[in-house]
Amino acid sequence: MKNGTNILLIYTGGTIGMVKDYETGTLKAFNFDELMSNIPELNQLDCNIKGMSFEKPIDSSNMNPGHWAEIATIIEENYAVYDGFVVLHGSDTMSYSASALSFMLENLAKPVIFTGSQLPIGDLRTDAKENLITSIQIAALKEKGEPVIREVGLYFEYKLYRANRTTKINAEHFEAFASLNHPPLVESGVHLNVNYPSLLSKEALPQPFKVHKKMDNNVAILKLFPGLNRSVLTSVLGIPGLKVLVLETYGAGNAPLDDWFLKELKNAIDKGLHIINVTQCSGGGVAMGHYETSEKLKEMQLINGRDITTEAAISKAMYLLGSKVSDKVFKTIFETSLRGEML
Ligand code: ASP
């Protein structure tokens, strides 16, 4: 007998539901019913599971903000009826999509768990079954009738992370994701161990759930490297219509002291470009002013991305621009943690 917990599975594509095309040898997405028929174990779970699928499931390299809006719409339209949502998604861009959804879903009071796998569900050694089954169990977790997780999470290889803290770090290992600046929310062993202090606070009574679907993609990412030449920098800063540049700097937010480099950045900021300083390290964050090589960046008012991931920074920028946050307050709002994405 099933309990009354309703879970909606949203299938967008990814390796989890792929099969080999024997003509070309490549992996291609297959349909949701075939995916479900490969996991009869789902019938043993103590909750009611319904599935919905993108009309055409995709490899996540094809994801774009339009697809994020599609996922957000499915959650919005089904929010009242379901207790939790599990989004099946390719791992390649999962951290971007899951970070984006964390911003798009404001005042979320139910679990939205992204998962996928490194091997297709039909493969003998697949990691898909554990990832999917445990994600559903986590989405169905309740205490005193209330969902335990009230945020967007990403579950992979025995760990649930806060989605907007994750990065894909491995294309080979089943442990494909890391969250170096925030501990796992749940670890799956013999039991599901919830790390309560790491969850988003449930103190405040939730305001009404609100879905934002407008994302403005007039944004870019530039990763510094020794030898970056001036024309590359000028071309990026001069992109017509560019509103935000996420600048991946070294270590604790450091950059070269060359006059031309600092002058180009300063000119762009004076013309209204928002430049966000994020570190290219996977762990730790930006501490502008700690070294001489970041002092000037601080003086010219680069936005401090602190310990945010690049994935969260770019999707937060698209969300804030899409929400028409004014230039005057953009820096202040960006530097504020909205969904636990930064310290
Ligand atoms: N290329 C696949 C995707 O991201 C990889 C995966 O699912 O793990 O859709």
Side-chain angles (χ1 to χ4, degrees):
M1 179 74 186
K2 308 269 180 196
N3 72 18
T5 306
N6 298 318
I7 302 296
L8 183 63
L9 269 185
I10 304 168
Y11 174 51
T12 70
T15 299
I16 193 162
M18 287 187 181
V19 274
K20 212 177 211 139
D21 178 331
Y22 285 100
E23 266 171 34
T24 62
T26 55
L27 287 171
K28 291 193 319 194
F30 71 160
N31 75 40
F32 188 72
D33 297 334
E34 282 177 85
L35 173 72
M36 298 302 279
S37 64
N38 271 282
I39 335 170
E41 292 91 336
L42 291 180
N43 294 322
Q44 292 170 34
L45 289 171
D46 191 20
C47 52
N48 309 306
I49 304 164
K50 282 261 158 58
M52 275 188 135
S53 170
F54 271 15
E55 207 167 273
K56 195 173 171 301
I58 55 171
D59 184 296
S60 77
S61 301
N62 291 318
M63 274 284 159
N64 62 44
H67 296 111
W68 298 341
E70 214 176 307
I71 301 170
T73 305
I74 295 176
I75 294 173
E76 182 179 36
E77 287 173 353
N78 292 281
Y79 193 72
V81 179
Y82 289 89
D83 300 279
F85 302 85
V86 174
V87 183
L88 299 177
H89 190 293
S91 64
D92 288 348
T93 62
M94 192 187 294
S95 290
Y96 289 93
S97 298
S99 296
L101 264 292
S102 78
F103 297 112
M104 296 163 92
L105 307 177
E106 191 180 358
N107 302 320
L108 183 65
K110 298 185 177 186
V112 173
I113 313 294
F114 277 71
T115 194
S117 65
Q118 294 278 56
L119 285 175
I121 198 112
D123 196 289
L124 259 189
R125 294 174 50 252
T126 190
D127 51 332
K129 288 192 182 183
E130 200 285 321
N131 285 348
L132 175 55
I133 290 168
T134 309
S135 293
I136 295 173
Q137 288 186 320
I138 290 174
L141 269 187
K142 283 192 181 174
E143 251 162 41
K144 296 190 188 130
E146 293 294 327
V148 173
I149 308 295
R150 296 160 166 235
E151 53 185 289
V152 181
L154 186 155
Y155 183 82
F156 230 85
E157 193 62 3
Y158 303 113
K159 292 193 185 80
L160 178 76
Y161 299 112
R162 174 166 303 148
N164 57 31
R165 290 296 200 153
T166 62
T167 302
K168 183 171 180 184
I169 44 128
N170 206 305
E172 165 71 21
H173 293 169
F174 286 147
E175 194 164 354
F177 290 88
S179 161
L180 292 182
N181 287 336
H182 194 76
L185 309 181
V186 179
E187 290 192 61
S188 162
V190 173
H191 299 103
L192 287 180
N193 292 309
V194 181
N195 181 13
Y196 289 93
S198 72
L199 303 180
L200 277 184
S201 159
K202 293 185 199 164
E203 293 303 300
L205 265 185
Q207 302 297 308
F209 176 56
K210 199 168 164 197
V211 179
H212 304 265
K213 295 178 203 162
K214 287 211 177 86
M215 301 293 266
D216 181 337
N217 68 351
N218 284 300
V219 296
I221 300 173
L222 178 65
K223 180 174 184 162
L224 291 186
F225 58 93
L228 171 74
N229 77 46
R230 188 169 187 165
S231 59
V232 170
L233 183 67
T234 349
S235 320
V236 173
L237 294 174
I239 294 170
L242 188 70
K243 296 176 187 160
V244 170
L245 177 69
V246 174
L247 187 67
E248 279 198 359
T249 57
Y250 306 125
N254 306 318
L257 291 172
D258 301 285
D259 277 346
W260 64 264
F261 176 80
L262 296 170
K263 223 159 88 198
E264 292 287 357
L265 293 189
K266 173 91 174 65
N267 282 344
I269 292 173
D270 289 347
K271 283 189 198 144
L273 183 70
H274 300 291
I275 304 183
I276 301 161
N277 188 355
V278 304
T279 175
Q280 41 185 264
C281 296
S282 330
V286 165
M288 279 194 283
H290 189 59
Y291 289 93
E292 188 193 11
T293 42
S294 64
E295 184 59 34
K296 288 277 183 303
L297 305 181
K298 188 176 176 185
E299 276 170 25
M300 64 174 88
Q301 296 286 300
L302 250 76
I303 296 173
N304 189 344
R306 296 209 287 278
D307 64 343
I308 200 167
T309 61
T310 298
E311 292 88 336
I314 199 79
S315 53
K316 185 174 182 177
M318 288 192 222
Y319 161 68
L320 294 182
L321 292 173
S323 306
K324 300 270 179 280
V325 161
S326 77
D327 285 344
K328 254 173 128 185
V329 294
F330 189 92
K331 181 175 189 298
T332 312
I333 298 187
F334 195 96
E335 290 179 349
T336 308
S337 176
L338 302 179
R339 312 279 193 268
E341 74 281 6
M342 67 203 301
L343 275 179

